[in-house]
Amino acid sequence: YYIGDVDTTSKPKKKEEEYLTDANGNKLALNPKKKTPFRLQKKTVLSRDSFMLDFALPTKDHVLGLPTGKHMFMSAIINGETVLRRYTPISSNYDVGCVKFVIKAYPPCERFPKGGKMSQYLDTLVEGDFLDFRGPVGEFEYIKDGEFLLEGEPHKGTKFNMVAGGTGITPCMQIAAEILRNTADKSEISLIFACREEGDLLMRSTLDEWAANFPKKFKVQYILSDSWPTNWKYSTGFVDKQLFQEYFFDAADDVYTLMCGPPIMLDKGVRPNMEKMGHKKDSLFSF
């Protein structure tokens, strides 16, 4: 039987990339089931060992798709090894078409001879390079007006203590930004930001601006452990019970403490002292 000739001139249709969408029909850049490459469009040096990375989303109309309080995986092949690390951006879904991160590079030292694998790799990226992302991931999600989900269970607070160590400032800032941008959200925040020296206080200008513009909703206290200038007017040393008693909200059913930083700081300096002050274990959450 003669059915017909094979068409050798036509080309197969290119399959359109499928993206997830939100309730408003916006395309979401993140996918929890697969990696998505983002292109680095700008790199800005902030200090001797910290920098900002601004990645372009797949199109200028995409939103990131990261709920407030969650984070995402960065993935790269480094010296033949697949390395995954969790990072929280300083931008949000309100920043259409891009996502921004503040990164601190950790070089080799006596305690960590190889340094931070991912942070050193990120420091080598140049504008035009691509990096793989996947998410969102995380147990905490801030909704609105003090309402949040913790491992899927609903909670509500009116006051949030926050402890940040070094780059642990990013998830705290993400949640604070969401609370402060919504005038109807009356939640109050008291943040303690701990670093080794003044130059390590990432995004300090933004924090100071928030404290000046939202004095009833946001307060910040800095503490430096290794060195500080002679005119330093904030705390020195390490986080302890006395510091928390002076600057934090007292324990209550509607008070929660969010923390992100080095494990030794959280496990030795924060949790035991907060519990001594009457804060229940289930009111303390670390990112």
Side-chain angles (χ1 to χ4, degrees):
Y1 294 92
Y2 176 74
I3 298 176
D5 297 324
V6 176
D7 182 0
T8 59
T9 60
S10 63
K11 297 181 180 179
K13 291 184 178 180
K14 186 177 180 180
K15 185 179 179 181
E16 290 189 8
E17 187 73 34
E18 295 181 355
Y19 293 102
L20 301 176
T21 57
D22 63 14
N24 297 318
N26 298 311
K27 291 181 179 179
L28 303 180
L30 284 177
N31 189 317
K33 296 182 179 180
K34 68 175 185 179
K35 300 174 185 177
T36 304
F38 297 163
R39 178 180 58 84
L40 179 62
Q41 60 183 357
K42 189 175 182 180
K43 182 177 183 179
T44 305
V45 175
L46 301 177
S47 70
R48 70 188 189 287
D49 57 5
S50 64
F51 47 94
M52 181 185 297
L53 299 180
D54 180 353
F55 289 91
L57 302 184
T59 73
K60 61 182 179 59
D61 299 319
H62 271 76
V63 297
L64 183 60
L66 186 72
T68 303
K70 290 189 178 290
H71 36 263
M72 49 205 286
F73 278 116
M74 291 183 181
S75 174
I77 305 296
I78 303 174
N79 297 325
E81 174 189 3
T82 299
V83 179
L84 291 172
R85 292 292 186 272
R86 296 185 178 196
Y87 282 89
T88 301
I90 60 168
S91 54
S92 70
N93 286 342
Y94 295 92
D95 300 288
V96 180
C98 68
V99 58
K100 300 176 182 179
F101 299 86
V102 170
I103 307 294
K104 180 180 174 67
Y106 291 95
C109 62
E110 184 177 347
R111 186 178 177 188
F112 300 102
K114 295 184 178 180
K117 292 181 182 179
M118 180 62 80
S119 67
Q120 291 182 91
Y121 175 80
L122 294 176
D123 198 17
T124 68
L125 294 182
V126 296
E127 294 174 6
D129 287 345
F130 283 81
L131 187 69
D132 286 337
F133 293 85
R134 181 173 63 81
V137 292
E139 300 79 25
F140 184 98
E141 179 179 347
Y142 188 83
I143 309 300
K144 64 175 182 177
D145 303 332
E147 299 175 0
F148 62 94
L149 300 177
L150 189 55
E151 296 183 342
E153 293 294 324
H155 298 267
K156 182 176 176 60
T158 63
K159 296 179 175 66
F160 293 91
N161 296 316
M162 294 183 178
V163 188
T167 53
I169 190 62
T170 52
C172 295
M173 285 190 69
Q174 184 196 45
I175 295 167
E178 182 66 18
I179 291 173
L180 297 178
R181 73 163 51 92
N182 294 305
T183 55
D185 194 328
K186 303 303 181 184
S187 304
E188 297 177 39
I189 302 165
S190 181
L191 167 68
I192 290 176
F193 188 9
C195 286
R196 292 185 174 182
E197 53 190 67
E198 190 175 20
D200 295 333
L201 294 169
L202 304 176
M203 306 302 292
R204 181 183 174 184
S205 61
T206 299
L207 298 173
D208 288 341
E209 183 179 333
W210 287 353
N213 293 340
F214 306 97
K216 294 182 179 180
K217 294 179 66 174
F218 182 82
K219 293 178 173 58
V220 59
Q221 176 67 12
Y222 304 108
I223 179 168
L224 302 178
S225 62
D226 289 10
S227 63
W228 47 89
T230 54
N231 61 345
W232 182 248
K233 63 179 181 178
Y234 300 97
S235 302
T236 58
F238 297 96
V239 296
D240 58 16
K241 183 180 176 182
Q242 182 178 347
L243 183 72
F244 300 151
Q245 287 176 326
E246 185 173 356
Y247 293 102
F248 271 173
F249 300 114
D250 294 333
D253 291 339
D254 60 348
V255 175
Y256 289 86
T257 300
L258 310 178
M259 63 190 90
C260 187
I264 190 170
M265 181 185 85
L266 304 186
D267 296 338
K268 301 292 185 180
V270 182
R271 288 185 180 277
N273 285 311
M274 294 300 285
E275 290 177 22
K276 289 177 183 176
M277 292 165 55
H279 294 268
K280 299 177 181 178
K281 287 186 178 181
D282 58 7
S283 72
L284 309 175
F285 178 78
S286 59
F287 293 97

